[in-house]
Amino acid sequence: MIETLRKRERLLLALIVVGLVLAAVASTMYYARLDLTSTRMFTLSDAAKALRNEIPESVRISYFVSKSLADRHPGPGEIEDFLRELESVSKGKVRVRVVDPSDDPAEVDGFGVAAQQMQVVERSEQRVAIVYTGIVVEYLDRHETIPSVLSTATLEYELVKAVRAVVSNDVQVIGLLVGDADKSLAGDYQTLRGNLARAGYETRELERGRAVDDDVDVLFVLGNAAMDRYDSAFVDAFVMRGGKTFFAVKGVDVRADYGLAASAVPDGGLLSMLSSYGFDVDRSLVLDQSSLTVPFQTQGPTGSYQIQYLRYPFWIIVDERFVSDDSPMTARFGGLDLFWPSPLRLRPVEGVEYVELAKTSPKAWLQTERFAAGPDDQALYALERDGTGGQYLLAASASGSFRSAFSAGDPPYRDGAPPLAPTRVESEPTRMVVVSSADFLSDLMRMSDSGFNASFALNAADWLASSDDLIAIRSRAVADTRLNRIDDDGLRDFLVAVTYIVCLGIVPFGVVAFAFARSARRRGAEAASRPSRGGAA
């Protein structure tokens, strides 16, 4: 009888081992993942799964990661898992290798993978180590490099874009035209430019009053206060030949370098051109209860300077409830902060389809006459609130054929400048996006922690470049999780207080209480066991 039981145990053990081996073999050919996140951010997108259909020959993806970094940070492991999953669904079209750069330093430097410094503590000694974590995509004799990556947050977007670029051998060019005299690309738009470059776009600075290069795929017009009719004519010519354009414009010029002095942008120029396309930007400012808290440096009665945190209604938080569900740019909305926006009105023209992308909350209002935007003007913020309260449009897109703003036969001119060549009367089918805030893509987004503004710009660039499937990937990884985006001051203060109470009170108290309870239970159990062991009762 005992021998029979032993045989059954050995047989059961052998079956379990065989089952585990078969499961391990099956896991190399099939996989499954349960993704419970609302945006499905841990599930490969359709665009990533379909890459194998876009690759004629195999693509090699090399992940260069230093062993010292992989041993100390969870990011490299997550990245490798993602790459292996992509390799698995590619049916042999994608081959992945993980390389320690120390094996061949010349290779990693030749591909342009960025070296980074990491502080390492070993044997009570602190030193700085040089580490690498970058990805190179190779196809035939071409390659694309993601010089630095430490998480999978935007990796899928960057990798799909890199694979497509290296296979098609085509890099899309975004022209950046600064339309404000007090701003420059180098001084005010480095965050935007860096994000566009990391997304695989080539960025190129353009000058006002010059023709847009023929190889520019998408044009970003950043501001308009310094653009007259002559400057605008070159943008109109770009639109007429089917160029895709993003406009970040304003109706009121707020000068941050002059104490937030504000004045209406003069008539004519770029705003008149946009009006001919069906976008009317009013010369007024929108204020909203849904707004940011902004730190201002103010001078006290004694002459000393102090930091004052002010709920600033000119810097508007766009709520996800008030964006379009129909546009891929906002279908999975991550957040948007607009600085000193103006109301935007659509006046549809024939042959063009418009989509309202973003609005204020219903508790917005306007300043139309006396512009007072400084921190010392708080008493003047709401002077026109009763008469102008409501909801206002802030961003919209349009698709179709547009009539030239200069089709009436009155071409602009400038003294000393060459006359403009005739342009088309009606454009090729094209797309454009208009946002009535000229500064929301400036480096002010760093101060306000509004990095998702750049993500919105990337979504718009992808939509303008007709890469709708890429937008769905990018928008999964971006979300505004700040507590200060909550509109109700009382609710926000309550949630902050609850957070402090839970983290600094309930959790530590619970840990201590559990320790005392466990200790008391053990002492009771020991006391109860002493008589049975012959100890003292």
Side-chain angles (χ1 to χ4, degrees):
M1 181 66 179
I2 295 176
E3 186 64 26
T4 302
L5 290 176
R6 288 177 177 175
K7 289 181 179 179
R8 289 179 179 177
E9 289 177 356
R10 287 195 291 268
L11 178 61
L12 180 60
L13 179 61
L15 291 175
I16 292 175
V17 172
V18 171
L20 291 175
V21 172
L22 292 176
V25 173
S27 68
T28 64
M29 299 181 292
Y30 306 98
Y31 68 93
R33 171 181 287 177
L34 182 61
D35 187 353
L36 300 179
T37 59
S38 60
T39 58
R40 312 291 293 172
M41 66 181 301
F42 297 108
T43 302
L44 284 181
S45 66
D46 293 339
K49 294 176 182 177
L51 273 181
R52 62 176 180 265
N53 301 324
E54 304 178 31
I55 303 174
E57 305 291 340
S58 64
V59 166
R60 185 170 75 168
I61 298 178
S62 301
Y63 178 34
F64 293 93
V65 57
S66 299
K67 187 177 185 302
S68 57
L69 178 64
D71 291 341
R72 292 175 172 84
H73 196 283
E78 296 173 358
I79 293 170
E80 183 176 352
D81 288 345
F82 169 81
L83 295 177
R84 296 300 183 189
E85 185 175 357
L86 182 64
E87 181 182 38
S88 177
V89 302
S90 71
K91 306 299 183 183
K93 290 297 185 68
V94 173
R95 294 179 290 110
V96 173
R97 64 173 185 144
V98 179
V99 184
D100 186 345
S102 61
D103 295 339
D104 188 356
E107 182 183 20
V108 68
D109 292 336
F111 281 126
V113 177
Q116 301 179 66
Q117 292 184 344
M118 180 182 71
Q119 289 187 345
V120 178
V121 178
E122 291 180 343
R123 298 176 182 176
S124 301
E125 294 183 357
Q126 181 173 307
R127 62 183 179 87
V128 175
I130 301 299
V131 297
Y132 294 86
T133 172
I135 293 176
V136 176
V137 180
E138 298 175 82
Y139 179 76
L140 301 180
D141 60 344
R142 304 186 293 269
H143 75 273
E144 287 284 329
T145 301
I146 303 175
S148 177
V149 56
L150 198 54
S151 77
T152 59
T154 60
L155 177 59
E156 185 176 13
Y157 171 87
E158 295 174 347
L159 203 56
V160 170
K161 199 170 182 66
V163 171
R164 287 180 174 177
V166 75
V167 170
S168 65
N169 197 25
D170 179 32
V171 178
Q172 292 178 314
V173 178
I174 291 184
L176 301 175
L177 175 61
V178 178
D180 291 332
D182 61 327
K183 292 183 175 63
S184 66
L185 196 60
D188 299 278
Y189 294 99
Q190 286 303 302
T191 303
L192 172 65
R193 194 171 193 176
N195 276 269
L196 291 172
R198 283 191 292 274
Y201 289 103
E202 176 189 334
T203 60
R204 184 180 305 166
E205 184 174 6
L206 304 177
E207 296 182 20
R208 297 190 296 272
R210 298 284 184 89
V212 179
D213 299 335
D214 291 337
D215 61 341
V216 169
D217 298 287
V218 178
L219 173 64
F220 271 59
V221 180
L222 306 169
N224 58 291
M227 295 187 68
D228 58 16
R229 292 185 77 241
Y230 188 85
D231 297 325
S232 303
F234 292 100
V235 178
D236 181 78
F238 176 76
V239 173
M240 288 305 106
R241 66 176 188 250
K244 317 294 179 58
T245 314
F246 183 100
F247 295 96
V249 295
K250 55 190 172 185
V252 176
D253 186 18
V254 180
R255 298 291 299 271
D257 53 346
Y258 283 96
L260 300 182
S263 59
V265 174
D267 292 337
L270 194 72
L271 295 188
S272 294
M273 186 193 77
L274 286 176
S275 182
S276 71
Y277 299 157
F279 299 93
D280 288 333
V281 180
D282 290 348
R283 273 77 170 177
S284 57
L285 288 172
V286 182
L287 300 85
D288 198 341
Q289 180 174 305
S290 175
S291 54
L292 291 171
T293 298
V294 179
F296 286 99
Q297 181 175 278
T298 58
Q299 188 172 13
T302 61
S304 61
Y305 287 92
Q306 59 185 0
I307 300 298
Q308 177 186 8
Y309 286 86
L310 174 66
R311 173 66 76 163
Y312 193 55
F314 296 93
W315 283 20
I316 292 176
I317 300 173
V318 178
D319 193 290
E320 61 183 2
R321 295 172 296 172
F322 308 123
V323 298
S324 171
D325 294 330
D326 299 327
S327 172
M329 284 178 280
T330 51
R332 290 177 174 175
F333 187 65
L336 188 62
D337 295 339
L338 299 182
F339 312 139
W340 303 296
S342 297
L344 174 64
R345 292 181 290 109
L346 297 180
R347 190 171 34 79
V349 299
E350 186 178 355
V352 178
E353 179 183 354
Y354 298 85
V355 175
E356 296 182 347
L357 296 178
K359 296 180 180 180
T360 67
S361 79
K363 297 182 179 180
W365 70 97
L366 302 179
Q367 278 190 359
T368 63
E369 297 176 356
R370 182 180 178 182
F371 301 121
D376 299 327
D377 300 324
Q378 296 181 54
L380 305 177
Y381 289 171
L383 284 181
E384 300 181 63
R385 186 168 189 168
D386 292 339
T388 63
Q391 189 172 35
Y392 293 92
L393 181 65
L394 301 175
S397 64
S399 305
S401 296
F402 299 86
R403 192 169 182 83
S404 172
F406 307 99
S407 60
D410 56 340
Y413 67 92
R414 176 178 291 170
D415 292 339
L420 298 178
T423 187
R424 297 170 56 106
V425 175
E426 188 170 344
S427 75
E428 296 286 342
T430 187
R431 295 177 171 184
M432 66 177 60
V433 175
V434 178
V435 180
S436 59
S437 172
D439 298 296
F440 88 104
L441 291 181
S442 73
D443 290 336
L444 284 174
M445 70 175 88
R446 294 178 183 171
M447 188 187 82
S448 61
D449 193 22
S450 305
F452 36 74
N453 283 5
S455 296
F456 176 83
L458 287 175
N459 288 348
D462 291 335
W463 179 78
L464 291 168
S466 302
S467 300
D468 294 354
D469 56 347
L470 288 176
I471 302 176
I473 304 175
R474 167 161 289 282
S475 57
R476 296 189 305 175
V478 181
D480 181 4
T481 58
R482 302 169 304 182
L483 280 177
N484 67 0
R485 77 183 293 268
I486 301 173
D487 301 338
D488 190 301
D489 291 342
L491 177 60
R492 186 181 66 257
D493 294 341
F494 171 75
L495 291 176
V496 170
V498 169
T499 302
Y500 276 112
I501 291 172
V502 171
C503 295
L504 301 181
I506 294 178
V507 172
F509 176 79
V511 172
V512 173
F514 175 78
F516 277 112
R518 183 178 178 85
S519 176
R521 188 166 60 250
R522 291 185 62 180
R523 287 198 301 270
E526 290 176 357
S529 67
R530 286 171 186 163
S532 65
R533 298 198 307 264

